[in-house]
Amino acid sequence: MIEIRGARENNLADVSLDVPKRRLTVFTGVSGSGKSSLVFGTIAAESRRLIDETYTAFIQSFMPGRNRPDVDALRNLSAAIIVDQERMGANSRSTVGTATDAHTMLRIVFSRVGTPYVGPPHVFGFNNPDGMCPECEGLGRVSDIDATGLVDPDRSLNEGAITVPGYTVGSWPWQTIAGSGLFDPDLRLKEFTDAQWDDLLRRPATKVKIGGINVTYEGLLVRVRRTYLSKDRESLQPHIRAFVDRAVAFATCPACGGARLNAAALSCRVGGRTIAECSAMQISDLAAFVRDLDAPSVAPLIAGLGETLDSLVEIGLGYLSLDRESGSLSGGEAQRVKMVRHLGSSLSDVTYVFDEPTVGLHPHDIQRMNDLLLRLRDKGNTVLVVEHKPEVIEIADHVVDLGPGAGPAGGRICYEGDVAGLRRSDALTGRYLDHRVSPRTPVRRSRGAIPIRNAHRHNLKDVSVDIPLGVLTVVTGVAGSGKSSLVHGSLTGQDGVVLVDQSPIRGSSRSNPATYTGLLDPIRTAFAKANGVKAALFSANSEGACPGCRGIGVVYTDLAMMAGVASVCEQCEGRRYTPEVLTYRLRGKNISEVLAMSVTEAREFFPTGQARRVLDRLLDVGLGYLGLGQPLTTLSGGERQRLKLAIRMADRGVTYVLDEPTSGLHLADVDQLLALLDRLVDDGNTVVVIEHHQAVMAHADWLIDLGPGAGHDGGRVMFTGTPADLVAHGDSLTARHLRAYVGGTA
């Protein structure tokens, strides 16, 4: 047993329990009940911290600092491997092939048996100078900047002629150009000589003096290429990304045709194919190709590569290709790619920790995921899974249910034992385990349609389909069948279409639900009015911020050789404000106490006005347990999506596109989500949901099912119609699973 005694991390209420080792334990409970705090924040965090402590202080200085979790005792831990849903970075040089080592193995095969022989493995690496295409430097695409997108020739530098983000008049980059002495800052750009234009746009790095200080001057094109284009587009801030999209044209590299490699690497073939052609193949096809290779000199390597590719197919990722960029994978796909690294591992007696491994999986694929979890357990490992899907809960050896509610109302053990006992218990999860949503009758009638014609993005096979207006449409199909390609490729980006996805909310560690939703403004105004002072005092990012921690509430201390430490600020004791600001009260509470409230508590505190309207919307999307001052960086993908939805809910007459809104939702919360989607439709909106959850499928007015399989086996419309029609007449994988679900046998 892993023995946990007195766990108090986040909202855990002095939890003590024993988790069986070498068994599959599923942790359940509503969102915010404390599952992640127990599994990730306590068990996995302490295991990782103890492993880090075995390294020297010098090595630890290069590792992330880990604080000891708030727990009295943790005994019998084994090494923890966390397989989470964090996106795999936004680096264009990272692909599925590089992330799984499949590309490395492929390179070795080509270096040994490829003809003609061109050299060692690194010659086939697009991230290596010896292998990369010299034109695009291994990215497969080139960018061309349109100078008219950088400047307004009708204005002078002093009038703000430079339209690049960060170059406003008076900013440091602007001063470098305007004060360089190369131009008259009052002269309109269209009156520049050819030499001045060349200096403004293309002059290479040159030392110039501004106010007696030596600074480096670079032409605008040179600087924009270096600062914006060398970074991956997805990692840029939204306003910079919008500028790049406007001013920069990306095209397939003419030298390598997008293959990323130089001519020598592309001249070498194995089985009649180049390494670029192998990387571009669908993984399921590549696995078959590798299996047929006859090369005794590298037989063990080919066997290892084959196993990796077979694992990717088995895990439901056979529709990807090795050259697919890691940053373009969804959270669920990224988690499954990480899983592959561990399936063939010879290690045993390891603790594997999974965070909702079924995210993005069709019910058909969940069965395969279950088989993998059981395989890991059967190798002698301890498998801990945070999960809401009944299909996964049912294969557990042991279930730990946390609750009964979320936030302060959670953090306690409601049930621990086997699945049969959970069904008999009074725990919320047990009561909802066999809960079924019946197909909607009668369905709402559409008031028109958005036509999609001849869609062929990614694997779509010239798809034409109508999205009905004024109803709830659910787009279904196995992972990789083309759902996202259809909806995001043809629908999002149109006028009146609001995309509410699970991507990280860009902001600093200072951002929280109060600042993000605009809720802080009416709160600050109310405090200012009640106390006769300025509203700015009640912002932790402005005048009222504690000088000791600059309004963050914690102080980060760099311990040189040791890992850095974050400690609660001694001056404000984590309250983020100056003592003077904390003397001002609103109905007996200071600003720090109000921001420490949950949404539900704050709703009672603000019975009317703008604050109440925002809080009502947060409650409607099931975020009543969130703290107003909780950092946005602590939210899950599902919580981020519901927070964005709360902000956009005031819109009317729009088309909402939601991508798997049930992610992170307990079975009991799915009913609340369905009621929310109904409200959006009844208010005159159109709602389009990409979803695998059968309850949402059954509740839809209209279904669009894609398939029949994934990758090039998908991309066709299998069915359009009502859920009742699909259950009665459909024969796709979705139809079979929905039929079993409404029949009560799922």
Side-chain angles (χ1 to χ4, degrees):
M1 294 285 186
I2 297 174
E3 297 175 7
I4 303 156
R5 299 292 178 264
R8 293 176 295 276
E9 195 68 20
N10 296 328
N11 68 330
L12 295 178
D14 215 26
V15 165
S16 295
L17 79 154
D18 292 341
V19 178
K21 296 181 83 168
R22 302 173 195 88
R23 295 288 181 272
L24 171 59
T25 301
V26 175
F27 293 79
T28 60
V30 297
S31 295
S33 60
K35 305 181 298 296
S36 295
S37 297
L38 180 61
V39 179
F40 292 94
T42 305
I43 301 172
E46 181 64 355
S47 170
R48 301 291 282 268
R49 190 185 73 83
L50 292 172
I51 290 169
D52 287 357
E53 282 193 348
T54 65
Y55 296 107
T56 64
F58 175 73
I59 291 173
Q60 284 183 54
S61 70
F62 297 102
M63 301 170 80
R66 302 184 199 275
N67 293 330
R68 188 181 186 281
D70 189 359
V71 59
D72 291 338
L74 272 172
R75 301 186 195 96
N76 308 330
L77 288 176
S78 57
I81 293 174
I82 298 171
V83 190
D84 59 16
Q85 291 179 39
E86 283 301 310
R87 297 288 176 96
M88 297 172 68
N91 187 339
S92 304
R93 297 190 176 278
S94 172
T95 64
V96 171
T98 60
T100 57
D101 290 340
H103 192 261
T104 306
M105 291 188 267
L106 203 56
R107 279 167 33 208
I108 299 171
V109 170
F110 269 79
S111 71
R112 298 286 189 276
V113 298
T115 53
Y117 174 78
V118 295
H122 62 254
V123 172
F124 297 95
F126 51 80
N127 291 332
N128 190 292
D130 292 338
M132 65 174 57
C133 165
E135 181 76 19
C136 62
E137 296 183 342
L139 289 175
R141 57 178 185 266
V142 288
S143 55
D144 189 30
I145 303 179
D146 178 6
T148 59
L150 309 184
V151 292
D152 178 356
D154 290 324
R155 287 189 273 177
S156 69
L157 290 172
N158 279 340
E159 291 169 337
I162 301 175
T163 57
V164 179
Y167 284 77
T168 50
V169 175
S171 66
W172 179 247
W174 176 88
Q175 287 178 42
T176 308
I177 293 171
S180 63
L182 298 169
F183 329 97
D184 175 358
D186 288 317
L187 188 68
R188 287 185 188 175
L189 267 55
K190 64 183 179 186
E191 295 166 26
F192 275 19
T193 65
D194 288 348
Q196 286 175 318
W197 267 112
D198 204 56
D199 281 342
L200 177 67
L201 296 175
R202 297 178 188 84
R203 189 177 181 115
T206 316
K207 285 275 184 269
V208 295
K209 261 195 166 60
I210 298 179
I213 303 170
N214 273 332
V215 295
T216 302
Y217 173 89
E218 283 176 305
L220 258 182
L221 284 173
V222 178
R223 185 161 177 146
V224 167
R225 271 203 182 91
R226 182 175 60 78
T227 53
Y228 295 154
L229 299 195
S230 62
K231 294 178 184 168
D232 191 84
R233 179 186 172 278
E234 295 305 313
S235 66
L236 299 172
Q237 291 175 296
H239 69 289
I240 294 174
R241 203 182 317 160
F243 156 73
V244 168
D245 290 345
R246 189 175 68 244
V248 181
F250 290 98
T252 301
C253 173
C256 66
R260 296 176 171 234
L261 295 161
N262 60 30
L266 293 175
S267 70
C268 181
R269 292 176 181 268
V270 169
R273 295 182 186 273
T274 67
I275 190 168
E277 288 167 348
C278 288
S279 296
M281 287 171 79
Q282 188 165 304
I283 287 172
S284 54
D285 295 340
L286 181 60
F289 170 76
V290 167
R291 220 172 287 123
D292 292 341
L293 287 179
D294 181 25
S297 63
V298 286
L301 188 69
I302 287 176
L305 175 60
E307 281 174 20
T308 299
L309 297 173
D310 288 341
S311 294
L312 283 162
V313 174
E314 194 180 346
I315 214 164
L317 295 177
Y319 59 90
L320 296 178
S321 58
L322 293 186
D323 64 2
R324 172 80 175 263
E325 288 184 12
S326 303
S328 69
L329 300 179
S330 69
E333 286 170 334
Q335 186 178 34
R336 298 199 291 285
V337 166
K338 292 174 197 171
M339 249 183 120
V340 170
R341 298 183 71 92
H342 306 294
L343 290 176
S345 170
S346 302
L347 289 171
S348 68
D349 229 341
V350 169
T351 299
Y352 284 100
V353 186
F354 292 96
D355 184 10
E356 276 198 87
T358 59
V359 162
L361 287 185
H362 187 272
H364 169 71
D365 300 312
I366 290 176
Q367 186 58 53
R368 290 196 289 191
M369 175 60 72
N370 283 348
D371 291 343
L372 293 169
L373 295 173
L374 293 170
R375 245 174 64 192
L376 282 173
R377 177 203 67 185
D378 293 344
K379 279 171 60 181
N381 298 304
T382 304
V383 182
L384 310 180
V385 184
V386 173
E387 187 53 87
H388 296 288
K389 295 273 171 68
E391 298 99 318
V392 180
I393 296 170
E394 281 164 2
I395 64 160
D397 301 309
H398 192 73
V399 179
V400 177
D401 189 56
L402 285 107
R412 287 180 284 280
I413 304 291
C414 295
Y415 171 82
E416 55 175 317
D418 61 12
V419 179
L422 178 67
R423 274 203 165 86
R424 292 192 301 271
S425 76
D426 194 40
L428 191 63
T429 306
R431 295 204 304 272
Y432 270 86
L433 208 51
D434 298 310
H435 174 64
R436 295 288 182 269
V437 171
S438 302
R440 175 192 286 280
T441 51
V443 295
R444 289 170 286 219
R445 295 289 161 210
S446 69
R447 52 164 200 271
I450 301 172
I452 295 174
R453 295 292 174 262
N454 309 112
H456 50 263
R457 189 184 191 194
H458 295 146
N459 66 332
L460 295 176
K461 311 278 197 302
D462 211 27
V463 167
S464 294
V465 71
D466 290 332
I467 306 286
L469 289 168
V471 300
L472 171 60
T473 298
V474 176
V475 182
T476 62
V478 297
S481 59
K483 304 181 299 299
S484 297
S485 299
L486 178 69
V487 175
H488 295 312
S490 305
L491 204 56
T492 53
Q494 291 191 25
D495 284 344
V497 175
V498 175
L499 172 63
V500 188
D501 64 7
Q502 298 185 25
S503 61
I505 295 167
R506 295 187 184 275
S508 67
S509 55
R510 297 170 175 274
S511 303
N512 54 48
T515 58
Y516 184 70
T517 59
L519 178 63
L520 191 59
D521 294 334
I523 291 176
R524 283 164 44 194
T525 305
F527 266 96
K529 199 171 175 183
N531 293 281
V533 292
K534 287 190 298 185
L537 281 175
F538 302 98
S539 168
N541 301 332
S542 185
E543 287 181 39
C546 161
C549 60
R550 298 201 295 281
I552 300 175
V554 292
V555 176
Y556 295 98
T557 310
D558 182 6
L559 296 180
M561 283 295 193
M562 304 292 284
V565 171
S567 52
V568 175
C569 173
E570 290 180 6
Q571 269 184 260
C572 66
E573 297 176 335
R575 291 194 284 257
R576 304 177 64 192
Y577 293 89
T578 63
E580 180 209 347
V581 171
L582 295 175
T583 61
Y584 299 122
R585 296 190 172 267
L586 178 67
R587 296 192 291 281
K589 301 275 187 191
N590 65 34
I591 182 71
S592 184
E593 289 166 336
V594 168
L595 291 178
M597 291 178 178
S598 68
V599 168
T600 306
E601 292 166 335
R603 192 170 165 272
E604 301 298 314
F605 191 74
F606 294 101
T608 57
Q610 187 189 344
R612 174 60 180 249
R613 286 195 293 276
V614 175
L615 290 162
D616 280 345
R617 293 207 295 269
L618 287 168
L619 208 68
D620 287 341
V621 297
L623 293 178
Y625 60 90
L626 273 194
L628 300 188
Q630 185 177 335
L632 293 185
T633 49
T634 63
L635 303 190
S636 68
E639 287 168 337
R640 291 192 294 254
Q641 184 177 36
R642 297 200 292 284
L643 185 60
K644 292 175 188 176
L645 183 59
I647 291 173
R648 302 307 300 257
M649 270 175 63
D651 300 345
R652 289 286 179 271
V654 299
T655 298
Y656 288 96
V657 173
L658 285 85
D659 204 336
E660 278 204 87
T662 59
S663 295
L665 277 189
H666 187 269
L667 297 162
D669 294 328
V670 172
D671 281 353
Q672 190 182 0
L673 174 74
L674 296 177
L676 172 67
L677 297 178
D678 282 344
R679 242 185 62 197
L680 288 172
V681 173
D682 294 340
D683 284 346
N685 302 300
T686 299
V687 179
V688 180
V689 180
I690 299 172
E691 189 53 84
H692 295 289
H693 203 297
Q694 292 106 315
V696 182
M697 294 180 199
H699 197 70
D701 298 299
W702 195 252
L703 287 176
I704 298 172
D705 187 35
L706 293 170
H712 57 49
D713 297 326
R716 287 185 283 272
V717 175
M718 303 298 294
F719 172 87
T720 58
T722 65
D725 284 347
L726 182 65
V727 168
H729 310 295
D731 64 348
S732 65
L733 287 169
T734 304
R736 274 176 251 163
H737 282 277
L738 189 59
R739 196 175 296 126
Y741 171 84
V742 298
T745 57

